[in-house]
Amino acid sequence: MLLISHCNTEQVAWFGLSLHDADANSWFVDLSDCGLDPTIDKGITGLFQDGDRIYAAIQSTNGGKVLVLDAALKPLETIYLQLAEDLHSIAVADGVLYVTSTRNNSLVIFDLGRREESIYWQHEGYIHLNDIKFHRGEVYVLSQDSPHTETNTGGTVTRLSDRKTIVTGLDQPHSLWFNDNILTVLSSRVGNIMQVNLDSLECRRLAGNWRASRSPAAIRSATPVNWRTGRVVRPAIN
């Protein structure tokens, strides 16, 4: 099963996730009754699974919120963060929640046991921080280090332990992925995928154009289900 978040939604009525199986069946997971405020909450960005818990970053204009779901996608709690704003990517490691605070150019951590929040790392100046991943005990972040333009190639991948820049020249980068010693990242605006050997730091660009082009109609046709009640509620959208 594939779970997809939907950000920048225009109506809180469509606030939720979509679930897809290998046979191209789709369901809308309605989360609009989870105490959301339609004036400030606009969708879900980052997702992360840790054991039987799924963490979903809520896109809000007022502070940081992370919704915690169980394996059946039923809401368990909402974590409210004071130091994080404009949440993008999230991750959990050793009982600590890591959140990219894009508006504040920082990485915020929240101890799930002690319920304590602090700033793990902060960049001086503008940086559009939009992804975090762990690999071999190291923390990697993905960012665009200057405002978006039509010819922007200021995207980078940085390893935080030694502040080493691993990849440069990305154009609106998204989605870090690791497979053994190979780092893969999407350069979104131009539709390129870059791969880096972390041992030799040799880079190569995969051939082809990898921009998403699927029509929204494929999701609009999905069967919507409220996972709290199992009741079909409304057409899936976005």
Side-chain angles (χ1 to χ4, degrees):
M1 300 294 283
L2 176 65
L3 186 65
I4 298 177
S5 63
H6 301 276
C7 64
N8 297 314
T9 55
E10 296 180 357
Q11 303 177 52
V12 75
W14 304 119
F15 189 102
L17 306 167
S18 58
L19 191 65
H20 309 263
D21 66 16
D23 297 320
N25 297 310
S26 301
W27 298 266
F28 180 75
V29 185
D30 176 40
L31 299 173
S32 61
D33 59 348
C34 295
L36 305 174
D37 184 341
T39 64
I40 59 176
D41 299 326
K42 304 301 180 183
I44 295 176
T45 50
L47 293 173
F48 191 86
Q49 182 175 6
D50 182 48
D52 61 353
R53 295 291 183 267
I54 296 173
Y55 296 82
I58 297 176
Q59 188 179 32
S60 178
T61 59
N62 183 26
K65 303 176 185 177
V66 177
L67 185 64
V68 184
L69 312 169
D70 67 11
L73 301 180
K74 294 181 179 179
L76 299 176
E77 67 164 322
T78 300
I79 298 172
Y80 294 90
L81 303 172
Q82 302 300 316
L83 302 177
E85 294 185 89
D86 192 16
L87 278 56
H88 277 59
S89 180
I90 57 177
V92 176
D94 300 323
V96 176
L97 172 67
Y98 292 73
V99 177
T100 58
S101 178
T102 304
R103 185 171 300 160
N104 298 331
N105 310 312
S106 62
L107 183 61
V108 172
I109 59 175
F110 180 81
D111 190 305
L112 295 168
R114 298 179 179 178
R115 316 299 287 185
E116 296 176 350
E117 180 185 4
S118 61
I119 295 177
Y120 180 84
W121 170 79
Q122 186 155 23
H123 178 80
E124 294 184 5
Y126 179 89
I127 188 172
H128 186 84
L129 189 65
N130 68 6
D131 202 0
I132 173 178
K133 289 291 187 298
F134 290 90
H135 180 64
R136 297 177 176 174
E138 302 276 9
V139 181
Y140 292 79
V141 292
L142 179 64
S143 63
Q144 183 81 29
D145 61 8
S146 56
H148 295 323
T149 66
E150 288 300 314
T151 58
N152 198 326
T153 55
T156 60
V157 178
T158 304
R159 186 170 58 211
L160 292 188
S161 60
D162 55 4
R163 303 299 191 266
K164 184 177 181 63
T165 300
I166 306 299
V167 185
T168 61
L170 300 172
D171 195 337
Q172 296 187 16
H174 290 78
S175 302
L176 277 175
W177 190 257
F178 293 91
N179 183 13
D180 195 17
N181 69 326
I182 302 298
L183 178 154
T184 302
V185 59
L186 172 66
S187 200
S188 298
R189 194 186 70 83
V190 293
N192 291 329
I193 291 180
M194 298 290 295
Q195 288 191 326
V196 181
N197 186 306
L198 294 174
D199 297 327
S200 65
L201 296 185
E202 179 182 354
C203 297
R204 72 185 185 104
R205 188 186 305 274
L206 300 188
N209 188 305
W210 301 90
R211 291 191 224 186
S213 59
R214 184 179 179 187
S215 169
I219 295 181
R220 289 196 185 100
S221 65
T223 302
V225 177
N226 185 312
W227 281 74
R228 285 185 162 183
T229 64
R231 178 172 55 90
V232 174
V233 287
R234 56 175 66 90
I237 196 168
N238 220 19

mmCIF file of all heavy atoms in Angstrom, residues 123-139:
data_model
loop_
_atom_site.group_PDB
_atom_site.id
_atom_site.type_symbol
_atom_site.label_atom_id
_atom_site.label_comp_id
_atom_site.label_asym_id
_atom_site.label_seq_id
_atom_site.Cartn_x
_atom_site.Cartn_y
_atom_site.Cartn_z
ATOM 1 N N HIS A 123 20.155 27.293 10.278
ATOM 2 C CA HIS A 123 20.971 27.914 9.240
ATOM 3 C C HIS A 123 20.832 29.426 9.332
ATOM 4 O O HIS A 123 19.730 29.951 9.520
ATOM 5 C CB HIS A 123 20.520 27.430 7.865
ATOM 6 C CG HIS A 123 21.264 28.032 6.724
ATOM 7 N ND1 HIS A 123 22.512 27.587 6.339
ATOM 8 C CD2 HIS A 123 20.952 29.056 5.885
ATOM 9 C CE1 HIS A 123 22.924 28.292 5.311
ATOM 10 N NE2 HIS A 123 22.005 29.194 5.013
ATOM 11 N N GLU A 124 21.933 30.146 9.204
ATOM 12 C CA GLU A 124 21.892 31.602 9.201
ATOM 13 C C GLU A 124 21.551 32.094 7.804
ATOM 14 O O GLU A 124 22.248 31.789 6.844
ATOM 15 C CB GLU A 124 23.231 32.169 9.656
ATOM 16 C CG GLU A 124 23.572 31.869 11.106
ATOM 17 C CD GLU A 124 24.861 32.522 11.549
ATOM 18 O OE1 GLU A 124 25.430 33.296 10.739
ATOM 19 O OE2 GLU A 124 25.292 32.269 12.681
ATOM 20 N N GLY A 125 20.493 32.857 7.688
ATOM 21 C CA GLY A 125 20.053 33.337 6.390
ATOM 22 C C GLY A 125 18.979 32.452 5.801
ATOM 23 O O GLY A 125 18.538 31.471 6.404
ATOM 24 N N TYR A 126 18.549 32.801 4.584
ATOM 25 C CA TYR A 126 17.454 32.079 3.936
ATOM 26 C C TYR A 126 17.893 30.694 3.484
ATOM 27 O O TYR A 126 18.969 30.512 2.922
ATOM 28 C CB TYR A 126 16.944 32.863 2.722
ATOM 29 C CG TYR A 126 15.825 32.146 1.992
ATOM 30 C CD1 TYR A 126 14.509 32.352 2.350
ATOM 31 C CD2 TYR A 126 16.107 31.242 0.965
ATOM 32 C CE1 TYR A 126 13.479 31.683 1.700
ATOM 33 C CE2 TYR A 126 15.084 30.573 0.315
ATOM 34 C CZ TYR A 126 13.779 30.796 0.687
ATOM 35 O OH TYR A 126 12.763 30.128 0.045
ATOM 36 N N ILE A 127 17.029 29.733 3.743
ATOM 37 C CA ILE A 127 17.218 28.388 3.206
ATOM 38 C C ILE A 127 15.846 27.699 3.207
ATOM 39 O O ILE A 127 15.127 27.743 4.199
ATOM 40 C CB ILE A 127 18.242 27.587 4.044
ATOM 41 C CG1 ILE A 127 18.575 26.265 3.384
ATOM 42 C CG2 ILE A 127 17.752 27.378 5.455
ATOM 43 C CD1 ILE A 127 19.705 25.517 4.066
ATOM 44 N N HIS A 128 15.468 27.132 2.082
ATOM 45 C CA HIS A 128 14.188 26.423 2.005
ATOM 46 C C HIS A 128 14.467 24.955 2.311
ATOM 47 O O HIS A 128 14.819 24.166 1.443
ATOM 48 C CB HIS A 128 13.558 26.581 0.625
ATOM 49 C CG HIS A 128 12.179 26.004 0.534
ATOM 50 N ND1 HIS A 128 11.052 26.696 0.927
ATOM 51 C CD2 HIS A 128 11.745 24.784 0.123
ATOM 52 C CE1 HIS A 128 9.982 25.939 0.746
ATOM 53 N NE2 HIS A 128 10.377 24.767 0.263
ATOM 54 N N LEU A 129 14.303 24.613 3.579
ATOM 55 C CA LEU A 129 14.617 23.275 4.067
ATOM 56 C C LEU A 129 13.392 22.388 3.892
ATOM 57 O O LEU A 129 12.339 22.662 4.455
ATOM 58 C CB LEU A 129 15.007 23.374 5.539
ATOM 59 C CG LEU A 129 15.569 22.156 6.242
ATOM 60 C CD1 LEU A 129 16.914 21.772 5.646
ATOM 61 C CD2 LEU A 129 15.730 22.461 7.732
ATOM 62 N N ASN A 130 13.519 21.313 3.093
ATOM 63 C CA ASN A 130 12.302 20.556 2.798
ATOM 64 C C ASN A 130 12.419 19.038 2.911
ATOM 65 O O ASN A 130 11.469 18.338 2.598
ATOM 66 C CB ASN A 130 11.748 20.942 1.424
ATOM 67 C CG ASN A 130 12.632 20.506 0.280
ATOM 68 O OD1 ASN A 130 13.622 19.804 0.479
ATOM 69 N ND2 ASN A 130 12.287 20.928 -0.925
ATOM 70 N N ASP A 131 13.565 18.514 3.353
ATOM 71 C CA ASP A 131 13.622 17.061 3.538
ATOM 72 C C ASP A 131 14.719 16.710 4.530
ATOM 73 O O ASP A 131 15.743 17.390 4.617
ATOM 74 C CB ASP A 131 13.881 16.349 2.216
ATOM 75 C CG ASP A 131 13.415 14.890 2.243
ATOM 76 O OD1 ASP A 131 12.901 14.448 3.295
ATOM 77 O OD2 ASP A 131 13.558 14.192 1.224
ATOM 78 N N ILE A 132 14.489 15.643 5.290
ATOM 79 C CA ILE A 132 15.474 15.115 6.224
ATOM 80 C C ILE A 132 15.461 13.604 6.122
ATOM 81 O O ILE A 132 14.392 12.980 6.030
ATOM 82 C CB ILE A 132 15.192 15.551 7.682
ATOM 83 C CG1 ILE A 132 16.138 14.823 8.643
ATOM 84 C CG2 ILE A 132 13.742 15.316 8.060
ATOM 85 C CD1 ILE A 132 15.968 15.207 10.093
ATOM 86 N N LYS A 133 16.657 13.009 6.124
ATOM 87 C CA LYS A 133 16.767 11.554 6.109
ATOM 88 C C LYS A 133 17.945 11.128 6.984
ATOM 89 O O LYS A 133 18.917 11.876 7.150
ATOM 90 C CB LYS A 133 17.004 11.036 4.684
ATOM 91 C CG LYS A 133 15.814 11.150 3.759
ATOM 92 C CD LYS A 133 14.694 10.215 4.143
ATOM 93 C CE LYS A 133 13.571 10.207 3.107
ATOM 94 N NZ LYS A 133 12.913 11.499 2.949
ATOM 95 N N PHE A 134 17.835 9.918 7.533
ATOM 96 C CA PHE A 134 18.932 9.312 8.291
ATOM 97 C C PHE A 134 19.579 8.219 7.440
ATOM 98 O O PHE A 134 18.892 7.475 6.750
ATOM 99 C CB PHE A 134 18.415 8.693 9.591
ATOM 100 C CG PHE A 134 17.966 9.705 10.604
ATOM 101 C CD1 PHE A 134 16.658 10.147 10.620
ATOM 102 C CD2 PHE A 134 18.856 10.217 11.530
ATOM 103 C CE1 PHE A 134 16.237 11.079 11.561
ATOM 104 C CE2 PHE A 134 18.454 11.148 12.465
ATOM 105 C CZ PHE A 134 17.134 11.580 12.473
ATOM 106 N N HIS A 135 20.922 8.135 7.521
ATOM 107 C CA HIS A 135 21.624 7.079 6.811
ATOM 108 C C HIS A 135 22.913 6.762 7.561
ATOM 109 O O HIS A 135 23.743 7.647 7.793
ATOM 110 C CB HIS A 135 21.948 7.515 5.377
ATOM 111 C CG HIS A 135 22.671 6.475 4.581
ATOM 112 N ND1 HIS A 135 22.105 5.262 4.262
ATOM 113 C CD2 HIS A 135 23.928 6.452 4.049
ATOM 114 C CE1 HIS A 135 22.955 4.548 3.560
ATOM 115 N NE2 HIS A 135 24.078 5.233 3.423
ATOM 116 N N ARG A 136 23.034 5.512 7.982
ATOM 117 C CA ARG A 136 24.218 5.066 8.712
ATOM 118 C C ARG A 136 24.525 5.955 9.916
ATOM 119 O O ARG A 136 25.679 6.292 10.194
ATOM 120 C CB ARG A 136 25.425 5.000 7.778
ATOM 121 C CG ARG A 136 25.286 3.989 6.647
ATOM 122 C CD ARG A 136 26.476 4.030 5.709
ATOM 123 N NE ARG A 136 26.390 2.997 4.681
ATOM 124 C CZ ARG A 136 27.242 2.891 3.664
ATOM 125 N NH1 ARG A 136 28.237 3.751 3.526
ATOM 126 N NH2 ARG A 136 27.097 1.920 2.775
ATOM 127 N N GLY A 137 23.475 6.345 10.623
ATOM 128 C CA GLY A 137 23.629 7.152 11.817
ATOM 129 C C GLY A 137 23.863 8.624 11.580
ATOM 130 O O GLY A 137 24.029 9.392 12.538
ATOM 131 N N GLU A 138 23.856 9.051 10.321
ATOM 132 C CA GLU A 138 24.088 10.453 9.981
ATOM 133 C C GLU A 138 22.766 11.116 9.586
ATOM 134 O O GLU A 138 21.874 10.483 9.038
ATOM 135 C CB GLU A 138 25.073 10.571 8.806
ATOM 136 C CG GLU A 138 26.424 9.928 9.054
ATOM 137 C CD GLU A 138 27.383 10.845 9.797
ATOM 138 O OE1 GLU A 138 26.942 11.914 10.264
ATOM 139 O OE2 GLU A 138 28.565 10.485 9.908
ATOM 140 N N VAL A 139 22.687 12.444 9.844
ATOM 141 C CA VAL A 139 21.517 13.219 9.473
ATOM 142 C C VAL A 139 21.832 14.021 8.209
ATOM 143 O O VAL A 139 22.816 14.759 8.165
ATOM 144 C CB VAL A 139 21.099 14.192 10.592
ATOM 145 C CG1 VAL A 139 19.848 14.973 10.185
ATOM 146 C CG2 VAL A 139 20.852 13.436 11.893
#
